[in-house]
Amino acid sequence: KMVALWRASALLVLFLAASLPPPQCAQDPAMVHYIYQRFRVLEQGLEKCTEATRAYIQDFQEFSKNISAMLGRCQTHTNEYKSAVNNLALRVERAQREIDYLEYLRESDVCVESEDKTLAEKLLQEAEEEKKIRTLLNASCDNMLTGIKSLKIVKRTTDTHGSWMKDAISNSPKVYFLSGSRNNVVWEFANMHAFMEDNTKPAPRKLILTLSWQGTGQVIYKGFLFFHNQGTANEIIKYNLQKRTVEDRMLLPGGVGRALVYQHSPSTYIDLAVDEHGLWAIHSGPGTYGHLVLTKIEPDTLGVEHSWDTPCRSQDAEAAFLLCGVLYVVYSPGGQGPHRITCVFDPLGTIGEEDLPNLFFPRRPRSHSVIHYNPRDKQLYAWNEGNQIIYKLQTKRKVPRE
């Protein structure tokens, strides 16, 4: 600021010098006095400015000193606050660890209680499930298959695929002949002799159904024909053969009918079966990766009683049947034989594959179109390359596992 004032004074002097009259008037006393007075005023102004500047500088220095002192005190307080905050953070962290530990202990107790409760519920559920299954399969049947005793070719036809059977429950001697994997004509023979001999009397009765079947998995149970309805994925028909009308129908749940049951039976998507425990369905289901699913059906209401995912695969399988509640699956590599039972499923867990001997069927040139068990005469009814065959069986009592 002092330099700026001196510069202003110099400029003022130059300005006054420029305002001086010509030299001839330089000796005029009045003019000299005027100039002197102007310089005095200027000097006084400069002195006041200098004093004001000094006062300002002093005030500024005092202010700076005060500010420095306050900053020092603030720094001290800041360090104290920082130390207090750090201590508080440590205490909060320690408290949080203690809370987490207590929460862990509480959750551990809850988890243990929950796991114990879940395990108890699971065991209870398994016990109830086993009780339900044992109640469901409560027929007085404790036999297991030990061998294929003999083969008898009853009749020869030109139809590659088809099924033939007797009623699995009634004492009727009638034999039913269903030719083809898609048809609606059932031939009813009076007895086995009439079925074996073409020209015997009485002649067979031709029954034309109002619906067609799909595949070769048909069965006759209590006078009704049960079959997979052609053109549907999973509809089962209960057909009254005497009235020639549809008695009832049902849809098997779970995406049934989208895949073949057996690799070597190219037209069967649902295979129905009958044994001492009643009516069953064998099929493949979604998510089972080619494994067979066994479903128990209540024949009077067509309700599903229970389903099991079995370990038996459909690959290389050609047929299956049930005997005393146990599923036996027949396999033939490449469909050419040998025909052998290599997978067994028992819902009660009484027997397994390790309990069975090597179960071979007499060698046939092709795979079977169907193999169904008849619980009334304890024989297998099969169809192989147009031949209607009966297999006699060897059985023994099941040995309960320890």
Side-chain angles (χ1 to χ4, degrees), residues 1 30 37 51 74 140 167 180 202 218 310 342 352 368 383 395 401:
K1 286 186 178 289
Q37 291 295 329
E51 291 176 359
C74 286
S140 57
D167 194 311
Q218 305 84 22
T310 77
T342 57
H368 292 84
W383 188 302
T395 60
R401 292 187 176 184

Side-chain angles (χ1 to χ4, degrees), residues 12 15 83 86 88 119 136 142 157 176 187 215 223 232 246 322:
L12 181 57
F15 174 72
S83 178
N86 289 337
L88 180 60
L119 180 60
L136 184 64
D142 57 357
T157 62
Y176 297 89
W187 291 95
T232 68
V246 174
L322 283 109

Side-chain angles (χ1 to χ4, degrees), residues 12-293:
L12 181 57
V13 170
L14 292 174
F15 174 72
L16 292 174
S19 303
L20 290 177
Q24 63 268 22
C25 300
Q27 300 301 323
D28 189 349
M31 182 58 68
V32 173
H33 179 72
Y34 171 76
I35 292 174
Y36 176 76
Q37 291 295 329
R38 299 299 296 175
F39 272 107
R40 287 289 298 171
V41 172
L42 180 60
E43 287 177 355
Q44 291 174 0
L46 290 174
E47 289 176 359
K48 289 181 179 180
C49 184
T50 299
E51 291 176 359
T53 300
R54 287 174 181 172
Y56 172 76
I57 292 173
Q58 185 177 359
D59 291 341
F60 182 76
Q61 290 175 346
E62 187 69 23
F63 176 74
S64 297
K65 187 184 297 183
N66 293 336
I67 290 298
S68 297
M70 293 176 65
L71 288 175
R73 289 194 298 273
C74 286
Q75 184 65 35
T76 301
H77 293 321
T78 300
N79 292 335
E80 293 176 354
Y81 293 152
K82 184 176 181 181
S83 178
V85 169
N86 289 337
N87 291 334
L88 180 60
L90 291 175
R91 294 177 64 184
V92 170
E93 184 178 357
R94 186 164 55 250
Q96 184 63 46
R97 288 198 300 268
E98 293 177 355
I99 292 173
D100 292 342
Y101 178 68
L102 293 175
E103 184 68 19
Y104 168 75
L105 293 179
R106 188 184 70 83
E107 289 182 354
S108 297
D109 294 339
V110 172
C111 288
V112 171
E113 293 176 1
S114 178
E115 290 176 358
D116 291 343
K117 183 178 179 181
T118 301
L119 180 60
E121 290 177 351
K122 183 178 180 181
L123 293 175
L124 180 60
Q125 183 178 1
E126 290 178 353
E128 291 178 351
E129 188 74 11
E130 183 177 357
K131 181 179 179 181
K132 176 183 177 182
I133 293 173
R134 292 189 178 278
T135 302
L136 184 64
L137 306 180
N138 62 353
S140 57
C141 179
D142 57 357
N143 291 331
M144 59 180 287
L145 183 65
T146 59
I148 311 299
K149 187 175 180 180
S150 63
L151 171 152
K152 179 181 180 181
I153 298 178
V154 177
K155 191 179 184 70
R156 299 179 187 272
T157 62
T158 58
D159 301 306
T160 304
H161 300 287
S163 63
W164 72 290
M165 67 207 73
K166 296 169 71 176
D167 194 311
I169 296 298
S170 74
N171 293 321
S172 171
K174 294 179 180 179
V175 177
Y176 297 89
F177 181 83
L178 291 78
S179 177
S181 58
R182 294 176 178 85
N183 203 345
N184 69 331
V185 177
V186 177
W187 291 95
E188 181 186 85
F189 294 82
N191 50 48
M192 186 65 71
H193 179 71
F195 177 69
M196 296 172 64
E197 302 294 335
D198 292 335
N199 297 321
T200 57
K201 300 292 183 178
R205 188 165 66 125
K206 184 178 182 180
L207 307 177
I208 300 178
L209 311 181
T210 56
L211 296 173
S212 298
W213 64 76
Q214 166 73 43
T216 58
Q218 305 84 22
V219 295
I220 293 181
Y221 185 75
K222 295 182 179 180
F224 296 96
L225 173 65
F226 294 83
F227 62 90
H228 177 198
N229 188 16
Q230 181 185 352
T232 68
N234 58 343
E235 186 176 44
I236 303 300
I237 299 297
K238 178 181 180 180
Y239 198 89
N240 191 318
L241 291 175
Q242 298 303 318
K243 298 179 180 179
R244 302 190 189 186
T245 58
V246 174
E247 187 79 10
D248 202 353
R249 62 183 73 203
M250 70 172 293
L251 296 177
L252 282 174
V256 178
R258 298 178 183 175
L260 292 171
V261 187
Y262 316 114
Q263 180 182 356
H264 300 309
S265 184
S267 60
T268 302
Y269 291 83
I270 299 174
D271 188 16
L272 299 173
V274 175
D275 73 346
E276 291 81 357
H277 296 294
L279 181 63
W280 303 78
I282 309 166
H283 53 88
S284 291
T288 57
Y289 304 100
H291 289 259
L292 299 182
V293 178

